[in-house]
Amino acid sequence: MSSGSTSPLNKDYRDNHMSDSGQFIPVADANLGERERRYLLEAFDSGRISGSGPFVDRFETAFANFIGVRHGVACANGTIAIHLLLAAMDIGPGDEVIVPSLTYIATANAVTYCGATPVFADSDPDSWNMSATTIAPLITSRTRAIVVVPLYGNPVDMDPIMTLARKHNLLVVEDAAEAHGATYKGKRVGTLADAATFSFYGNKLMTTGEGGMVVTDNSELAERLQLLRGQGMDPKRRYWFPVIGYNYRLTNLQCAIGLAQLERLDTFIETRKRLAQQYQTALGEIDGVAFQRERAPGESVWWMFSALLPDEESRDRVADSLAAEGVETRPLFFPLHTLPPYQGDGVHCPNAEALAAAGLNLPSGHHVSDPVIKRIQHLIADTLS
Ligand SMILES: *Cc1c(COP(=O)(O)O)cnc(C)c1O
């Protein structure tokens, strides 16, 4: 979820959005500290500033270990991670790839970059994720793969999807850009399919500024990912290019920040889980407010806590009254099948459409204090009363 030109850290933006009552509360805020600074300077001082170096290796290994897979392949961002993976899986023209409609546009764009066609699945109204039930009717003779998205950190119910996929001989990929550390049946999200991708954008659970990673247990696939990430150059023969690859590398500088963030990730996740509890307690008392639910046997990391208001009109009123008090919010993603590049005749995802119309992302992260939650609670209650 790129924030574009209105970075919450931009001073002019802050000044223009400051309320009388105090501080501006952005919807997300990176948590960078001394450790990030120290590792970054170490990388800088070493002179290894491009897309290879000790921090790249350490970050890849440590992240793969954290997730619980054999291989991690760092790359320039989370969008590229999906493209690199689908390209390594030879997804191409004529192929159909099933993706949720309710996700960030990168999920579908990566499919399009391959020349393949994204096919949009509806969401479950409770978990907000797509399910085997919404995927099954979309499978055709052209379907090659499914990209699942644990939306806002909420794990997808994978077992029925994997059973369905195996029956039809389909590849399954997790776009886990929002779900670092989430679990399903005691395993981490990112280990549940053929491979998975993560994003380290500035507003994600952990960040490298821009960045991403593909993780997999499949050694052959990992080799192919490394080959394509590095322009397609033969690892044993310099400037020999057996295939057309990409320059999709992540720098040693960014991986230094990433390693520091990873070493603090457990505390970031604890903060998000505690915040979700507090929001549910505070907002649960208000009539007409509902939340995303953990429906799969696992635990969400609650990357972006979101409220569901009674309808679009009340959602917009709540967003306006919070904005007037300096509290930034975001609407949920527009369902992709309603956006100009992906509007298709006859595509309907009624649950995704209803969620998108009434849902609102609330400020999530270490910067959201108890008094801020109280303020948000009172503002929402007043607006709806
Ligand atoms: C953030 C995000 C991405 C893209 O990541 P970038 O690092 O911004 O390219 C892809 N998919 C989902 C679901 C995301 O939230």
Side-chain angles (χ1 to χ4, degrees), residues 1-2 77-79 82 103-104 106-107 149 175 177-178 199-201 204 210-211 303 333:
M1 202 165 99
S2 300
N77 59 57
T79 307
I82 312 167
T103 178
Y104 184 52
T107 316
V149 180
D175 171 6
E178 306 177 354
S199 164
F200 308 120
Y201 183 70
K204 296 288 156 77
E210 299 277 355
W303 167 58
F333 301 121

